[in-house]
Amino acid sequence: MRSMTLYPKTHELMRRGAEFLGTEHAILCGAMSWVSERNLVAAISNGGGFGVIACGAMTPDLLDAEIAATKELTDKPFGVNLITMHPDIFDLIEVCKKHGVTHVVLAGGIPPKGSVEAIKAFGAKVIVFAPTIALAKKLFRSGADALVIEGSEAGGHIGPVSTSVLAQEFLPALAEDHLVFVAGGIGRGEAIAGYLEMGAVGVQLGTRFACATESIAHPDFKKAFFRANARDAVSSVQVDARLPVIPVRALKNKGTDEFTAKQREVAALLDSNSVEMMEAQLQIERYWAGALRRAVIDGDVENGSIMAGQSVGMVKQEEPAAEIIAGLMAESEAALARR
């Protein structure tokens, strides 16, 4: 493997993560709806990292086509990210089984009963997220193979605690016995080196890959990233306590204000008893899916949702995914060599 000679220190610290993923480098791509599709996923896997298809709101048929198309572009391992609240999650798991997907990432909440078992039954590995150590341990006991801890600096749906604090809490408690990846706000290799030294087996990045040359995101979406600073990536505000909305980090624009208005509208429907809570929350999720598509695919950077993490200030130009990965590895190696 090239990396053993080029990046020996980083490679040694990533060894467990890379072996688990079946990749050269233990660098996962965060699943970004509309962005993490066949082209970017294949480019990241071909570049030595681990691409992950963002299933998002896809139907089983759409996921079926996406996995097949990704396989046409790479023979390297890649994963599929499934949202735990998707109404067709068990059908989506069947699609993953049909294609022999090696790793399934379950995101967006506690996995529904039987889902982990259904994935393990066809030999795939299960990667989960957890906001607390207690839940992480429970998920490991339930069969999860690896954990991603993701701090609030990340783009898209986020939790309330920063990556640096989560790493200090989770890694000493879990890293010896379990595979833990760190995500949220990682933009350079020096940060990767630090988390690896703390016991992480690898990292996950989304924002750095969103503007890769192979990303199908609209040129105007990418330009918005290049212009932005860390402080422009803001977290959404929850308007009504009865409508618990997972905050979303995106670049501030008219769309972020429109989301606040959308929440007020749905809260009013709740007030008048004209909508059930589950339907209210689904309306919010559908809103996000549409707003994100408007920005990524249509290039409407005023009204769409430009989901981005705080590391957006480190994204200055388009680069091939393989070069982004090589740059991160070189920075990590240089940092470890200085120790």
Side-chain angles (χ1 to χ4, degrees):
M1 274 193 177
R2 269 197 339 268
S3 59
M4 290 188 80
T5 49
L6 279 177
Y7 320 112
K9 291 178 188 292
T10 306
H11 190 263
E12 181 48 38
L13 292 175
M14 278 185 172
R15 185 178 49 75
R16 286 164 69 208
E19 284 172 1
F20 167 72
L21 296 170
T23 54
E24 199 174 346
H25 314 304
I27 295 178
L28 285 145
C29 180
M32 301 170 280
S33 289
W34 304 110
V35 180
S36 300
E37 50 74 73
R38 63 193 72 169
N39 294 289
L40 182 61
V41 169
I44 287 165
S45 289
N46 288 336
F50 189 80
V52 179
I53 294 172
C55 175
M58 279 184 200
T59 60
D61 286 350
L62 282 173
L63 180 64
D64 191 15
E66 200 58 49
I67 296 171
T70 306
K71 285 183 152 178
E72 292 289 311
L73 299 172
T74 185
D75 57 2
K76 302 280 201 301
F78 62 88
V80 173
N81 178 295
L82 302 179
I83 305 295
T84 55
M85 68 164 84
H86 197 299
D88 302 324
I89 186 159
F90 286 93
D91 295 335
L92 296 167
I93 290 169
E94 277 302 308
V95 172
C96 293
K97 176 182 178 177
K98 171 186 162 185
H99 287 283
V101 169
T102 56
H103 297 68
V104 176
V105 184
L106 294 173
I110 295 171
K113 196 169 169 53
S115 57
V116 172
E117 292 82 349
I119 295 162
K120 305 273 284 190
F122 66 88
K125 303 290 189 194
V126 177
I127 303 172
V128 294
F129 291 81
T132 65
I133 292 173
L135 180 60
K137 286 180 172 173
K138 185 170 188 276
L139 290 170
F140 278 126
R141 282 197 302 273
S142 304
D145 297 290
L147 171 76
V148 179
I149 53 172
E150 184 174 61
S152 57
E153 301 94 320
H157 290 77
I158 54 168
V161 184
S162 73
T163 307
S164 61
V165 172
L166 286 178
Q168 292 173 79
E169 282 186 356
F170 279 69
L171 292 172
L174 298 173
E176 203 171 315
D177 300 320
H178 301 288
L179 301 172
V180 185
F181 294 84
V182 175
I186 300 172
R188 290 184 56 88
E190 292 88 346
I192 295 174
Y195 291 128
L196 291 173
E197 284 188 317
M198 289 172 74
V201 297
V203 290
Q204 176 183 292
L205 294 84
T207 302
R208 271 302 304 269
F209 289 121
C211 298
T213 313
E214 298 90 351
S215 159
I216 62 157
H218 194 282
D220 291 344
F221 180 90
K222 293 183 179 181
K223 278 184 200 142
F225 267 55
F226 303 149
R227 283 196 301 266
N229 295 313
R231 66 181 60 195
D232 299 322
V234 297
S235 173
S236 61
V237 178
Q238 180 174 298
V239 167
D240 192 307
R242 292 165 313 159
L243 204 59
V245 176
I246 299 172
V248 169
R249 188 176 298 287
L251 299 182
K252 191 162 176 48
N253 65 356
K254 255 196 252 166
T256 46
D257 298 333
E258 279 168 18
F259 177 58
T260 307
K262 177 70 183 174
Q263 287 185 77
R264 285 206 187 94
E265 176 197 314
V266 176
L269 291 174
L270 275 175
D271 282 338
S272 61
N273 292 323
S274 51
V275 67
E276 292 286 323
M277 179 59 79
M278 187 74 175
E279 173 55 31
Q281 287 180 312
L282 276 171
Q283 278 197 28
I284 297 285
E285 282 305 311
R286 278 193 216 107
Y287 172 86
W288 274 125
L292 188 58
R293 188 185 195 286
R294 284 203 299 279
V296 175
I297 304 296
D298 305 336
D300 182 354
V301 293
E302 274 304 301
N303 305 296
S305 174
I306 314 167
M307 290 192 189
Q310 290 180 324
S311 59
V312 69
M314 298 175 228
V315 181
K316 294 298 178 200
Q317 81 245 4
E318 274 195 288
E319 294 173 86
E323 284 181 23
I324 295 171
I325 292 168
L328 292 167
M329 291 297 291
E331 287 163 1
S332 171
E333 194 62 24
L336 292 169
R338 288 195 294 270
R339 301 290 203 262

